[in-house]
Amino acid sequence: MQNLVEQPVGIIGGTGLTALEGLQITGERNMASAWGTPSSVLTSGLLGQQRVLFLARHGNPHRIPPHQINYRANIQALFDAGVRTLVGVNAVGGIHPDMGPAHIAIPDQLIDYTWGRKGTFFEGELDKVTHIDFTWPYSEPARAILIEQAQRLGLIFSSHGVYGATQGPRLETAAEIRCMERDGCDLAGMTGMPEAALAAELGMQYVSLCLVVNYAAGKSDTAITMADIQRALDDGMIAVKTLLQASVAGFGTLQARA
Ligand code: HPA
């Protein structure tokens, strides 16, 4: 049994979420991990009554591109600090027609198109070979909490979706997005993997909270501009933060994955 009061909830903020307003900050920790240095300090604080540890995935200020993030250091540092339930906030492109700018999605599946990233803790001198069950890449109990709170808040959101993790840092071509759509992807993002797999390897309850910031390549008549992305971030991040605030207390009660 874990200590339900003390267990901190981890939040990894992505593009548009390098700091978490509303977090009553109690400290900052520079964590080195066996895999190197995480993207940012771990900021500890209280969101409502819930202890939270916040990490800025791209650094603070935002400077580390998706393919150069040390995902292993980030996940290990949060684990070492006691995090067993972790929410990754991801800015994404919308492939599904219902998933336009400022839409929130809580994906239930993913497809990994990334390459060359260090995506496992199981390497080097091992006692045994381990293959984790990754049939359901996201924590269903954590997803259920987000869905319940999003409904309660009256948000317009998608409770399912397939996240396609692309390599970046460039955006995709229109043909790549058509290919991903045929594969069944609803969303395209650059940071969902290997984060989800690493969290699963450590037995964490991991969930992704996606904010659509643009229609994916070829899905609208206009070019994708950073100004439009920024506008969608400004419009949508308020709802994301509200949803996080409403959900963390529930996350804090979850047990580690079997
Ligand atoms: N594709 C991949 N990643 C993204 C996008 C996109 O269109 N928008 C924001 N992150």
Side-chain angles (χ1 to χ4, degrees):
M1 224 3 214
Q2 287 179 34
N3 183 336
L4 300 184
V5 179
E6 283 305 312
Q7 187 192 328
V9 168
I11 298 177
I12 300 184
T15 302
L17 192 68
T18 40
L20 196 60
E21 301 109 56
L23 184 67
Q24 207 184 312
I25 296 174
T26 53
E28 282 191 343
R29 283 164 78 179
N30 260 311
M31 298 278 294
S33 83
W35 309 98
T37 311
S39 301
S40 76
V41 295
L42 298 191
T43 305
S44 53
L46 286 173
L47 209 50
Q49 299 299 306
Q50 178 59 49
R51 268 187 69 206
V52 164
L53 283 171
F54 179 82
L55 183 145
R57 187 187 285 118
H58 298 276
N60 187 9
H62 188 291
R63 67 192 151 75
I64 311 169
H67 62 296
Q68 288 186 328
I69 290 166
N70 188 340
Y71 294 92
R72 292 194 295 191
N74 288 352
I75 299 294
Q76 187 74 57
L78 287 162
F79 182 85
D80 291 347
V83 169
R84 298 296 178 268
T85 301
L86 177 61
V87 47
V89 180
N90 301 99
V92 296
I95 300 175
H96 192 286
D98 292 347
M99 301 187 191
H103 189 75
I104 285 176
I106 304 162
D108 60 330
Q109 274 297 333
L110 67 76
I111 299 177
D112 188 8
Y113 302 93
T114 66
W115 49 270
R117 301 183 181 189
K118 294 191 184 304
T120 180
F121 291 116
F122 297 115
E123 67 170 39
E125 292 288 312
L126 300 173
D127 299 336
K128 60 179 168 66
V129 178
T130 303
H131 305 282
I132 56 156
D133 180 357
F134 204 45
T135 311
W136 297 101
Y138 302 110
S139 156
E140 281 302 318
R143 274 180 17 81
I145 290 169
L146 281 178
I147 291 165
E148 187 191 333
Q149 293 302 325
Q151 280 165 346
R152 197 181 59 78
L153 291 163
L155 301 180
I156 297 167
F157 73 104
S158 298
S159 59
H160 294 82
V162 179
Y163 179 110
T166 61
Q167 178 69 359
R170 66 168 177 83
L171 295 166
E172 299 74 33
T173 67
E176 285 169 337
I177 290 296
R178 282 199 302 273
C179 176
M180 289 173 70
E181 188 173 30
R182 284 194 299 273
D183 284 353
C185 293
D186 301 302
L187 306 157
M190 300 175 193
T191 53
M193 281 293 284
E195 198 170 275
L198 291 166
E201 282 190 352
L202 295 185
M204 286 174 162
Q205 302 275 6
Y206 177 87
V207 71
S208 164
L209 173 53
C210 291
L211 175 64
V212 179
V213 294
N214 58 278
Y215 278 113
K219 291 293 168 190
S220 84
D221 297 336
T222 52
I224 303 169
T225 68
M226 289 312 287
D228 289 342
I229 288 179
Q230 190 57 52
R231 198 165 315 119
L233 279 170
D234 293 343
D235 290 349
M237 214 34 101
I238 301 157
V240 166
K241 288 175 188 167
T242 309
L243 181 52
L244 280 174
Q245 291 205 5
S247 305
V248 285
F251 289 157
T253 66
L254 296 179
Q255 302 292 300
R257 266 174 122 156

